[in-house]
Amino acid sequence: EGLTSDVVIWDKTTRELVGRFTEHENGVAAVSISPDNHLVLTVGAADGKIFILDITNATPIAQSHLPPTDDPSHIPCAVLGPQTEDIKRKKTGIYQFTILSGTRIYRYTVNPTTGEVLPQRTSTGNIVRTWTSAGYSTHGDLLFLGSETGDVTVVATKDGGN
């Protein structure tokens, strides 16, 4: 109904269309590209659907949904982080991503091979803020959260977000 909900991926060098993803209805709330430029995270503005796309052809490799208690039109930020690493800093092939909605932090891991999306426990202790921005450290072991009050909270992702 008047909103274009397509996610369109272009090749920057050739300026050619790589792919078009059309599964969202009535808008896209957020888009993020993985640091290694392999995956794209999209979150629907009206439907709360979460998709992880292969950046080479815009086909979905995993999907999930925001909890029904949240209004997906109020998502200020979604960020697709780097692959998780084991104790020796070897990449596991599993990516992590975070979606912010008001005072809620939704953190997930996604396995691009199996399509499995798993929620991850995240705690900011007794800190309650309206979150506006997020970003991962280079190795993905820290999640930086910005709030509308201007402060930054750092969450460790390796130990369950404590």
Side-chain angles (χ1 to χ4, degrees), residues 12 54 75 77 87 98 120 123 144 149 159:
K12 183 172 98 174
D54 180 332
I75 296 172
C77 178
I87 193 110
T98 298
Q120 301 297 307
S123 173
F144 301 94
T149 59
D159 62 358

Side-chain angles (χ1 to χ4, degrees), residues 19-83:
R20 179 182 303 267
F21 180 71
T22 61
E23 293 297 314
H24 290 297
E25 299 174 13
N26 295 319
V28 177
V31 175
S32 180
I33 298 172
S34 64
D36 61 7
N37 293 317
H38 291 161
L39 304 177
V40 177
L41 164 69
T42 70
V43 183
D47 55 19
K49 292 179 183 175
I50 301 167
F51 290 96
I52 304 293
L53 311 176
D54 180 332
I55 202 166
T56 63
N57 54 20
T59 57
I61 58 173
Q63 70 180 53
S64 190
H65 200 280
L66 284 175
T69 57
D70 267 328
D71 179 0
S73 66
H74 292 101
I75 296 172
C77 178
V79 61
L80 183 53
Q83 290 183 41

